């Protein structure tokens, strides 16, 4: 029943790949607020920073990669990247910036998709990439305490020795850092199983942008601690607006013994929903991912990356299902029952089940390469939305109809199990007409239908104009007041969420 | 190998039971700060409240049960209980209290263990028990939106029709309300499987104690939404200090098809740790609870409640293991392998496995009755601590040695899988000598060994004097400033966490 004779490619795409597009120059200047009333960096400041972190950790040349996001959509003009190696250096830097009213943008792996981690004007780039000394893992409890600059993949490499792993997984795992993952409330492909970062966050060390550059520890390396306000959770998803995360305490999860991956070809979205219900029922506690890709996603892979579908046919929808479990025989049985059910009921018209690590990798490669493949079209209007399932794919049809004469493709893929859709429109270059047809219409439609305009990518620069959509003024006012509470001089990441 | 001929008792103890003790009168007055500079309730205020909520919802007589916690350790002298039925009434009440500087204590099920939900002096009691109209559950996504006053057990009764359940479970489920569960970051017996309330919290409606009694919605009924600061998470565990939760959005979980429960008799704590490691390995994703009870816990059940152990022997430690899974055969196999392993290796010296709902209930009854049984000794010095496993039981031995000549019992039980121990000392009546031997020694010991002095019960009144232990002054200062940020007149729950 399962077709397995596809080409196996074992290349991983997890490391960051820079792709040039003709639209690199677009800086969304129409949204750009004027430069704030911050001081301008002087030689005296640079000398001061050199005294804190040492001369080699104050970089003023060759810093283009820090000034630019990986998609090259955003380019700042910072004159300086600082590379502290511990929390005390971070604190001294921030104290000086507070005193001098110098703007800062904290930067981790710089793998974000909304321009949150690069400067807008001349903000000092505070790289956390060298803050990676402390790594304290207790295999008995599964609790980890580590510096913010550790790269997700490197943490996993360390944890695997104890048969543990991190509870979240991202395409950017080869570059993104744990502090940045926390700051951006990173979602990813295991969200369905292990939940949001809030689930396993235990504590944070944060440097506050106050006059002392205060170092504060919130929570601690314990699964339960109800002795204070849970302030650390406020930093999750705060995009570096409230403080700089320098260390994290997290709960790891036991590395599952068995991973199974299957792909299903489906005729319509209603059947995809039925398959999801069946996956929850038959796969139960081992279900770890339920990803959707539409036909245009698969066409983009074929056209732009020469990556072939695994089916004989070209179904309108492709579903990727992953399980993580502890018992090979049990998990096989669960998967078999599930697959038999969805095929017997004709919910799926085609299907394959990976029988080796290489096949698993190839299937995930298909899913994870879609985003990159689209960039080869020229320009990508990217969206990362949450919607109730009844509207989950409807938005794609609405947008396809709206831009069909101008766009190269309208592509939908994403974490259907979490209600999170990546809806992308491509064209050969940036076109004002497409832009005007998309915005604010698309975001208004999403909010009107009970959705979120940024499910996991955050606000950054890209979505700042739309952040107000669907929010009460009281909520927005309170958010701004909290920003001022933590960052009274608004020196952290200006021009973005706040 | 498994002994199954024990007496089956199917009485549930989940509803709140009031037990009188001779120490009821003790009000911990030694910690009592003087009454704050709040206004005194007048007839004019009462008339105003009657206009807001109606005459029958302003109670001034027969309110003893609201003034007293269920253990009768704390007794306030409030003159008035208000019973609003919706968020707008809550808002108008709070606006009036803000204007008049009247202190308020929000109260849900009043099932807390640290005196957080009862007044200290004459604070107005704001009962959320009638705010229970909106109940909106979407079975396709598993997402729930409901008013704060719904009782946990009643929510479960509604969800079960859709094959879902709440991800947390508490002994107080028959009385506690979902808003209170959020406010106190309730833990309970399923924490090990489904994680903290942060894991499934999606959004909150809160009334703020500001001049408008502002109604604010944070987050929303979506699994992923990164369009703002995650402010709702700050209200989790805030014990009613920052605002009054009136509605919650939560993710429910699919009700597992199969529950298995086993009990093991163990000779020493090191073997208990080995059994925990084996449970994680063999039970994997279906493990849902790992509870410890020491011999003195079991003796208390026998002496005070005539509840018999399920073993032929009296082992020093009893472990309760629960699994929740989707496949009966698979789960049985996993449990069998686990039990065979721990018995073959002589890690357990005795064991039973429940073979019916009644047996499961009886085993859980043993665990959940310990706390009540101890109250029959007279007075209970209760502790709810987190500790790394290496010190998890050590503290019991240290305390037993310290108070052996004065105490009736020193008893340890709790959520070992989460590192959360309930260490209780009993005596026939409150004894100053025991008190002085216990405090601050016990809390200092816990903090010194990397633990928390309140794992899941919170601060309330009981632990206010010890809240500072192990915390940086910056952290405490910031917490206080956040309190003032949200509650500028400090009218919510005074004399407790802040």
């Amino acid at each position: 029943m399962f077709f397995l004779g596809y080409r196996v490619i074992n290349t991983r795409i997890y490391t960051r790949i820079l792709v040039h597009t003709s639209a690199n120059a677009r800086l969304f200047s129409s949204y750009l607020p004027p430069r704030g009333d911050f001081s301008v960096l002087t030689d005296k400041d640079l000398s001061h920073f050199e005294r804190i972190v040492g001369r080699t950790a104050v970089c003023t040349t060759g810093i283009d990669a820090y000034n630019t996001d990986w998609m090259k959509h955003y380019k700042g003009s910072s004159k300086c990247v600082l590379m502290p190696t511990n929390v005390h250096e971070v604190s001294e830097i921030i104290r000086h910036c507070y005193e001098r009213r110098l703007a800062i943008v904290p930067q981790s792996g710089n793998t974000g998709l909304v321009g949150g981690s690069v400067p807008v004007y001349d903000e000092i780039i505070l790289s956390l990439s060298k803050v990676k000394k402390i790594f304290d893992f207790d295999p008995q409890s599964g609790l980890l305490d580590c510096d913010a600059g550790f790269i997700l993949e490197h943490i996993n490499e360390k944890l695997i020795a104890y048969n543990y792993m991190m509870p979240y997984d991202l395409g950017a795992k080869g570059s993104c850092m744990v502090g940045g993952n926390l700051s951006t409330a990173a979602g990813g492909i295991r969200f369905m199983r292990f939940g949001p970062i809030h689930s396993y966050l235990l504590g944070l060390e944060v440097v506050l942008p106050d006059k002392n550059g205060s170092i504060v520890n919130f929570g601690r390396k314990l699964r339960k601690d109800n002795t204070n306000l849970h302030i650390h959770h406020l930093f999750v998803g705060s995009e570096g607006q409230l403080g700089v995360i320098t260390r994290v305490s997290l709960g790891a999860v036991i590395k599952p013994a068995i991973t199974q991956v299957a792909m299903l070809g489906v005729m319509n979205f209603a059947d995809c929903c039925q398959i999801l219900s069946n996956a929850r029922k038959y796969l139960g506690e081992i279900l770890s991912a339920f990803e959707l890709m539409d036909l245009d996603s698969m066409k983009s892979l074929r056209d732009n990356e020469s990556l072939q579908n695994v089916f004989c046919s070209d179904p309108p929808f492709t579903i990727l299902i992953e399980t993580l479990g502890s018992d090979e025989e049990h998990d096989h049985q669960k998967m078999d029952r599930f697959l038999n059910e969805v095929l017997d009921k004709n919910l799926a018209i085609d299907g394959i089940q990976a029988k080796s690590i290489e096949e698993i990798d190839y299937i995930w490669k298909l899913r994870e390469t879609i985003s990159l493949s689209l960039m080869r079209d020229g320009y990508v209007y990217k969206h990362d939305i949450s919607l109730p399932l009844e509207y989950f794919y409807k938005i794609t049809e609405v947008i396809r109809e709206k831009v069909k004469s101008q766009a190269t493709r309208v592509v939908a893929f994403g974490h259907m199990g979490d209600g999170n859709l990546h809806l992308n429109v491509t064209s050969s270059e940036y076109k004002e007409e497409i832009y005007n047809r998309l915005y604010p219409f698309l975001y208004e439609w999403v909010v009107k239908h009970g959705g979120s305009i940024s499910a996991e990518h955050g606000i950054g620069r890209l979505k700042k104009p739309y952040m107000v959509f669907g929010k009460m003024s009281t909520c927005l006012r309170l958010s701004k007041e909290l920003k001022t509470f933590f960052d009274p001089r608004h020196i952290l990441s200006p021009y973005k969420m706040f």
Side-chain angles (χ1 to χ4, degrees), chain A:
Chain A
M1 184 172 285
F2 292 104
F3 169 77
L4 285 163
Y6 57 81
R7 188 168 54 99
V8 169
I9 298 179
N10 196 16
T11 315
R12 296 177 77 85
I13 54 137
Y14 294 134
T15 46
R16 193 167 41 146
I17 299 168
L18 290 179
V19 178
H20 293 263
T21 77
S22 60
N24 290 347
R26 178 160 169 82
L27 291 175
F28 286 75
S29 56
S30 52
Y31 301 134
L32 211 53
R35 184 182 180 283
D37 185 23
F38 300 108
S39 302
V40 174
L41 187 76
T42 63
D43 286 348
K44 216 172 141 190
D45 292 318
L46 289 173
S47 300
H48 187 83
F49 291 137
E50 284 181 6
R51 279 194 296 277
I52 297 171
V53 294
R55 181 171 291 188
T56 55
V58 179
C59 310
T60 53
T61 56
I63 59 173
D64 270 8
Y66 296 88
N67 258 317
T68 318
D69 75 304
W70 72 275
M71 297 181 302
K72 297 192 184 289
H73 277 187
Y74 304 94
K75 188 167 170 48
S77 50
S78 179
K79 302 288 180 290
C80 168
V81 180
L82 301 178
M83 301 273 198
T85 56
N86 62 59
V87 65
H88 303 290
E89 292 178 359
V90 174
S91 169
E92 284 193 57
I93 288 167
I94 288 184
R95 187 166 54 190
H96 181 76
C97 291
Y98 177 92
E99 192 186 315
R100 284 269 297 126
R101 205 180 281 272
L102 287 163
I104 315 164
V105 56
Q107 188 176 92
S108 289
N110 195 13
T111 59
L113 291 156
V114 290
S117 58
V118 290
V120 176
Y121 291 103
D122 58 345
E123 302 94 283
I124 293 166
I125 298 168
L126 179 64
S127 170
L128 275 299
S129 59
K130 304 288 184 203
V131 182
K132 52 173 179 180
K133 191 174 172 193
I134 297 167
F135 191 95
D136 179 14
F137 181 67
D138 172 14
Q140 194 170 37
S141 62
L143 305 187
L144 170 69
D145 215 343
C146 79
D147 276 341
F150 279 99
I151 287 174
L152 177 57
E153 195 163 59
H154 298 173
I155 297 176
N156 268 329
E157 285 163 6
K158 286 170 187 277
L159 295 187
I160 209 169
Y162 303 101
N163 206 32
Y164 276 90
M165 68 176 198
M166 290 289 270
Y168 60 95
D169 192 9
L170 307 170
K173 69 176 86 170
S175 307
C176 68
M177 296 164 196
V178 64
N181 298 156
L182 267 289
S183 303
T184 56
I189 56 170
R190 299 273 161 74
F191 188 101
M192 191 179 188
R193 172 68 165 273
F194 299 112
I197 281 187
H198 291 286
S199 306
Y200 26 90
L201 172 65
L202 306 172
L204 288 180
E205 178 188 74
V206 176
V207 178
L208 299 179
D210 60 15
K211 71 174 192 291
N212 302 311
S214 297
I215 300 169
V216 196
N217 284 289
F218 301 109
R220 66 186 86 180
K221 195 179 163 190
L222 293 166
R223 290 206 188 269
K224 287 180 173 177
D225 177 26
N226 269 350
T227 59
N228 200 358
L229 298 178
H230 294 203
I231 300 174
H232 39 307
H233 286 273
L234 193 57
F235 290 87
V236 174
S238 68
E239 304 189 12
Q241 291 289 338
L242 309 182
V244 177
I245 295 172
T246 49
R247 202 162 85 215
V248 307
S249 293
L250 290 173
V253 293
I254 290 193
K255 190 171 164 21
I258 308 303
T259 303
Q260 297 180 111
V261 170
M263 249 184 174
L264 298 171
V266 189
M267 283 306 286
N268 57 63
F269 184 69
D271 286 349
C272 294
C273 292
Q274 286 295 311
I275 292 172
L276 175 57
S277 292
N278 279 287
R280 288 208 174 104
K281 180 178 169 190
Y282 287 91
L283 300 172
E285 60 277 359
I286 64 169
L287 180 60
S288 57
F290 192 99
E291 302 283 316
L292 178 87
M293 290 144 276
D294 70 357
L295 183 55
D296 289 275
S297 307
M298 303 314 275
K299 282 182 179 166
S300 172
L301 290 174
R302 191 176 55 203
D303 298 348
N304 294 342
E305 302 284 342
S306 303
L307 282 172
Q308 298 302 319
N309 189 356
V310 293
F311 304 128
C312 311
S313 58
D314 264 337
F317 295 93
T318 300
I319 298 279
L320 186 163
I321 290 146
E322 185 195 70
T323 69
L324 297 175
S326 61
D327 187 295
E328 187 165 2
E329 196 190 316
H330 295 171
D331 293 4
H332 283 343
Q333 274 190 19
K334 286 187 176 94
M335 182 64 101
D336 284 350
R337 282 185 212 149
F338 162 70
L339 292 173
N340 287 335
E341 176 73 13
V342 298
L343 290 163
D344 285 354
K345 282 196 178 155
N346 291 318
L347 294 171
I349 54 160
D350 207 342
I352 69 106
Q353 192 181 348
K355 297 290 183 203
S356 68
I357 302 273
E358 290 73 22
E359 293 181 4
I360 287 175
D361 284 347
Y362 184 72
I363 289 178
W364 270 117
K365 182 184 166 86
L366 289 175
R367 165 63 184 85
E368 293 194 328
T369 309
I370 297 169
S371 199
L372 289 166
S373 77
L374 295 169
M375 295 171 84
R376 306 228 185 253
D377 278 352
Y379 189 79
V380 187
Y381 307 80
K382 295 176 83 74
H383 312 99
D384 159 48
I385 55 185
S386 277
L387 274 170
L389 277 191
E390 61 182 305
Y391 304 115
F392 189 78
Y393 196 70
K394 178 81 184 155
I395 179 75
T396 312
E397 294 161 344
V398 169
I399 293 298
R400 195 168 276 147
E401 185 59 31
K402 206 161 168 76
V403 297
K404 64 182 174 189
S405 54
Q406 296 85 21
T408 306
R409 298 176 212 273
V410 177
V411 164
F413 61 99
H415 317 294
M416 184 174 157
D418 313 318
N420 178 190
L421 185 72
H422 298 311
L423 168 59
N424 290 344
V425 176
T426 70
S427 56
S428 56
E429 58 191 355
Y430 173 78
K431 290 180 184 170
E432 200 74 23
E433 194 184 346
I434 296 180
Y435 188 91
N436 292 334
R437 280 177 175 260
L438 289 175
Y439 312 110
F441 172 81
L442 190 151
Y443 292 136
E444 284 172 350
W445 197 98
V446 168
V447 170
K448 186 177 159 196
H449 292 83
S452 164
I453 64 154
S454 192
E456 58 179 12
H457 293 173
I459 295 295
R461 282 178 67 189
L462 180 63
K463 295 188 183 170
K464 183 180 168 66
Y466 307 107
M467 184 183 161
V468 298
F469 279 28
K471 289 211 180 61
M472 296 165 76
S473 59
T474 336
C475 177
L476 290 166
R477 177 181 56 73
L478 201 80
S479 302
K480 281 182 186 161
E481 287 172 8
L482 270 174
K483 162 71 174 175
T484 305
F485 175 91
F486 283 95
D487 181 11
R489 295 193 165 178
H490 284 230
I491 56 174
L492 279 188
S493 287
Y495 324 111
K496 292 165 189 162
M497 190 189 273
F498 299 106

